Amino acid sequence: MAEREYYDSKKFAKHGFQFKYWTFKDKSFLEQLLLRNKNKKHKIKRIFWTLFENPMGEGFFITIQLNDTIVGHNYGYPRIICYKGKNIKVLETGESFVDPNHRKKGFFSKMVNYTFNKNKNIPLIIGTPNRGTVNANKRMNYVVSENKTIRFLSYFPKDIEVYLKKDKILKITRKKYIEKTVDFPRLCVANQDYLNWVFSRPNVTFEFYEVNIKKKQLIFALRSGLPGLRKINI
């Protein structure tokens, strides 16, 4: 089967594939579809939390289906980032998947194009590609940052570890953490509603701390429960 065979819309429909664009009003039907396609309940709960509980706005879920079988999916949800002193509403995409039996048919590109066309009012679309989709993102004219020092998360440098062992670390509540840090500069514009949403992620446990090191106050959160992660600070 030739690569990109189904990228042409007519061939796509001819072979029985169809797009579906799901929003909050479709939530119950989408849940049943995902369950029938053997998605775990905890995964569905996380997807719905991301898309439909976000205080920055409602997200959407895209499926490519062959009858009732999902062969590809993707989602998007709004975020507000600060760029050069200005707040900009952007769209973050994620949960990209194409069934191994249907790869190299242009499905990933088709989902990205569909997202663009459905959200023409959004000036910027961002995402965090995995290793397998970096080249595909480049072909779709994404600007891919491969600078390993850029992180949404901030990490203590190694030379601070010695001081952490000597100083008393105070555990604080989520409410206190948010009160103390809500006005801190972040990539994403944050308010109390947004931070409470971030820290209510299903199946993830957060702990909050503050510590004084060399007359500087550090406030940080640790999370556990994500696949492949134990504790990292944010």
Side-chain angles (χ1 to χ4, degrees), residues 16-40:
F17 296 100
Q18 60 177 327
F19 269 109
K20 288 195 176 179
Y21 188 89
W22 306 82
T23 58
F24 179 74
K25 64 182 177 62
D26 311 305
K27 181 179 175 182
S28 60
F29 297 103
L30 176 58
E31 181 178 12
Q32 293 306 309
L33 174 67
L34 291 171
L35 286 171
R36 289 196 298 274
N37 280 266
K38 300 181 180 180
N39 286 276
K40 301 293 186 181

Side-chain angles (χ1 to χ4, degrees), residues 91-197:
L91 186 71
E92 179 160 358
T93 60
E95 207 70 32
S96 298
F97 165 79
V98 176
D99 186 292
N101 294 320
H102 295 279
R103 290 175 184 171
K104 296 191 176 181
K105 298 177 182 178
F107 284 3
F108 175 74
S109 299
K110 206 165 185 64
M111 286 191 291
V112 172
N113 278 329
Y114 194 76
T115 300
F116 285 156
N117 292 332
K118 275 284 192 178
N119 298 275
K120 291 181 178 178
N121 60 320
I122 299 292
L124 180 66
I125 294 180
I126 63 175
T128 308
N130 57 44
R131 292 179 181 273
T133 60
V134 169
N135 289 332
N137 277 272
K138 288 179 178 178
R139 288 195 297 269
M140 295 301 299
N141 294 322
Y142 274 98
V143 176
V144 178
S145 173
E146 298 185 47
N147 186 337
K148 295 182 179 179
T149 64
I150 296 176
R151 295 285 188 275
F152 286 101
L153 308 176
S154 59
Y155 295 83
F156 282 129
K158 290 182 178 180
D159 59 356
I160 289 184
E161 291 178 5
V162 106
Y163 295 104
L164 287 175
K165 293 175 183 177
K166 294 180 180 178
D167 289 78
K168 183 178 179 182
I169 302 176
L170 177 65
K171 188 173 184 178
I172 59 177
T173 64
R174 180 171 82 178
K175 180 180 179 181
K176 184 64 67 175
Y177 174 88
I178 291 174
E179 289 175 354
K180 287 175 174 284
T181 68
V182 66
D183 294 323
F184 284 12
R186 291 178 168 90
L187 173 65
C188 292
V189 176
N191 55 32
Q192 290 200 10
D193 288 341
Y194 177 80
L195 291 176
N196 273 307
W197 171 71

Side-chain angles (χ1 to χ4, degrees), residues 217-229:
Q217 185 185 46
L218 300 178
I219 303 174
F220 57 96
L222 297 175
R223 69 181 180 182
S224 61
L226 295 178
L229 297 177

